[in-house]
């Protein structure tokens, strides 16, 4: 295993532990962290359910908000590690913040942003500035977290019911 992959796996261990901690506290079991050269600089979990309810408090957004300001000039060196493939909002935030890598444990088959990577605006046509997209790194551990989060999310005001015609 390469040193970078070993770092990614260790960081994913941390976000899985955070996701389980979040779930035990009544939050969605989704967590993220931001690392620089394998060292955690910020972390968080989904705070969407609240209290108070806030649809923008995704794990990646919470983690990115904790990055020390002094590190933003080195954004291309930062890695976001998350239990679940980022959604459009979180991907856009990583993209516009200049994050270098995104590593995720499970693919979000219903709302993951990986579907849009081939369709970015012309500004990103050459791939410069687009984070390296790595995953799913550990579906065996992260898929069950995703499924529990998806069921809980469906009950939130921004969630879609599971009887929507396009869902399996």
């Amino acid at each position: 295993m390469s040193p970078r992959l070993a770092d990614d796996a260790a960081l994913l261990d941390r976000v899985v532990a955070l996701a389980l901690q979040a779930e035990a506290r009544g939050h969605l079991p989704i967590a993220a962290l931001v690392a620089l050269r394998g060292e955690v600089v910020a972390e968080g979990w989904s705070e969407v359910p609240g209290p108070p309810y806030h649809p923008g408090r995704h794990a990646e957004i919470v983690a990115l908000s904790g990055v020390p300001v002094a590190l933003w000039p080195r954004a291309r060196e930062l890695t976001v590690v998350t239990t679940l493939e980022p959604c459009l909002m979180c991907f856009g935030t990583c993209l516009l913040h200049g994050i270098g890598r995104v590593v995720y444990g499970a693919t979000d088959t219903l709302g993951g942003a990986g579907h849009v990577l081939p369709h970015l605006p012309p500004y990103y046509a050459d791939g410069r500035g687009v984070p390296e997209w790595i995953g799913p790194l550990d579906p065996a551990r992260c898929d069950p977290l995703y499924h529990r989060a998806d069921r809980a999310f469906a009950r939130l005001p921004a969630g879609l019911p599971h009887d929507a015609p396009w869902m399996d």
Side-chain angles (χ1 to χ4, degrees):
M1 181 181 299
S2 74
R4 185 172 240 183
L5 186 56
D7 281 350
D8 291 345
L11 294 169
L12 189 62
D13 287 343
R14 175 64 187 150
V15 294
V16 167
L18 282 171
L20 292 170
Q21 185 179 354
E23 186 175 38
R25 293 181 179 186
H27 296 281
L28 299 177
I30 303 169
L33 62 76
V34 182
L36 177 64
R37 298 183 181 192
E39 298 295 322
V40 176
V41 298
E43 58 187 25
W45 58 56
S46 173
E47 296 176 0
V48 170
Y53 170 73
H54 189 306
R57 298 291 290 166
H58 290 208
E60 298 89 341
I61 304 300
V62 173
L64 286 165
S65 70
V67 172
V69 173
L71 291 181
W72 284 117
R74 299 176 67 186
R76 294 298 301 155
E77 298 175 55
L78 296 175
T79 298
V80 169
V81 180
T82 180
T83 52
L84 182 61
E85 177 185 9
C87 69
L88 289 171
M89 177 180 70
C90 294
F91 167 68
T93 302
C94 289
L95 179 70
L96 294 175
H97 278 73
I99 299 298
R101 300 173 71 239
V102 173
V103 176
Y104 58 93
T107 299
D108 183 343
T109 57
L110 299 174
H115 298 285
V116 303
L117 288 173
H119 309 287
L120 294 177
Y123 184 83
Y124 300 102
D126 63 3
R128 283 185 301 161
V130 178
E132 187 179 354
W133 199 251
I134 303 160
L137 197 61
D138 193 348
R141 286 192 305 160
C142 295
D143 280 356
L145 296 172
Y146 165 49
H147 295 299
R148 293 197 306 271
D150 184 53
R151 284 191 298 275
F153 187 79
R155 294 188 299 272
L156 296 173
L160 295 174
H162 278 105
D163 60 353
W166 53 270
M167 298 183 82
D168 340 61

